Amino acid sequence: MKRFWLSVVVLLAITTIALAAVNSVEAPEKCQNCGMDRTFFAQSRMVVTYSDDSSGTCSINCAVVDMQANRGKTVTSLQVGDYDTSKLIDAKTAVWVIGGKKRGVMTAVPKWAFADRKRAQKFIKMNGGNQATFDEVVKATEKELEELEKEKRQSLE
């Protein structure tokens, strides 16, 4: 009987470790801009790789804030979580969707990345929004961040 319970405990421990490994993302655990859990937001997270280091963020909005703060650094790679699989994909070649009814991460205007154009179109049919390029997403994000900063300054006056 002892052997049975020992086997059950070992099996549970192995299962827990395996599930933790599946349900985690690359370091850092928390967004380097806002502190949100990057595993929870795996489908929107980004990794910005500079020539000398990298940053992990929860969203395109936090990635743009990070790149603005590091303007002097050379960006060598931009990766984003695919909306459907949460696997990291190249942010510049991803098919992006701006807008729609699916609430975004750290933004009033949702922005989602897809590895596949058909899946992006399916998302648009179900949730609304418009297909966009990475450059269009960055411009929309910068505009949104500027408006937020302007509102913040006005509220302090």
Side-chain angles (χ1 to χ4, degrees):
M1 191 64 147
K2 273 185 169 180
R3 193 176 268 180
F4 170 76
W5 287 112
L6 180 60
S7 297
V8 169
V9 169
V10 169
L11 184 60
L12 285 174
I14 291 170
T15 302
T16 301
I17 291 167
L19 286 174
V22 168
N23 293 324
S24 64
V25 298
E26 68 289 326
E29 179 182 325
K30 305 269 184 210
C31 176
Q32 291 178 272
N33 181 54
C34 71
M36 288 185 11
D37 184 320
R38 293 180 67 246
T39 298
F40 186 79
F41 295 101
Q43 80 285 7
S44 65
R45 78 187 187 286
M46 290 196 68
V47 175
V48 182
T49 304
Y50 300 99
S51 55
D52 61 347
D53 64 353
S54 65
S55 291
T57 66
C58 67
S59 64
I60 182 68
N61 279 43
C62 285
V64 169
V65 169
D66 188 79
M67 289 185 289
Q68 288 174 341
N70 290 289
R71 283 200 195 274
K73 293 185 177 185
T74 301
V75 175
T76 60
S77 172
L78 289 162
Q79 295 177 296
V80 63
D82 172 64
Y83 180 83
D84 289 323
T85 66
S86 296
K87 292 180 181 176
L88 287 176
I89 59 175
D90 185 313
K92 290 183 177 183
T93 60
V95 180
W96 287 84
V97 175
I98 298 177
K101 65 183 180 183
K102 180 76 173 166
R103 189 172 177 206
V105 178
M106 295 300 290
T107 180
V109 181
K111 300 165 195 82
W112 301 107
F114 295 82
D116 181 82
R117 185 173 312 285
K118 287 181 183 177
R119 290 187 177 197
Q121 290 300 320
K122 181 179 176 183
F123 177 90
I124 291 169
K125 283 182 184 175
M126 292 176 63
N127 298 289
N130 297 299
Q131 189 173 312
T133 65
F134 178 73
D135 289 338
E136 291 168 331
V137 168
V138 170
K139 286 178 186 171
T141 302
E142 288 172 338
K143 181 179 178 185
E144 183 178 358
L145 292 170
E146 287 172 16
E147 290 172 5
L148 286 172
E149 187 61 33
K150 183 178 177 182
E151 289 174 14
K152 192 161 90 174
R153 282 192 308 267
Q154 288 175 344
S155 71
L156 293 174
E157 293 175 352

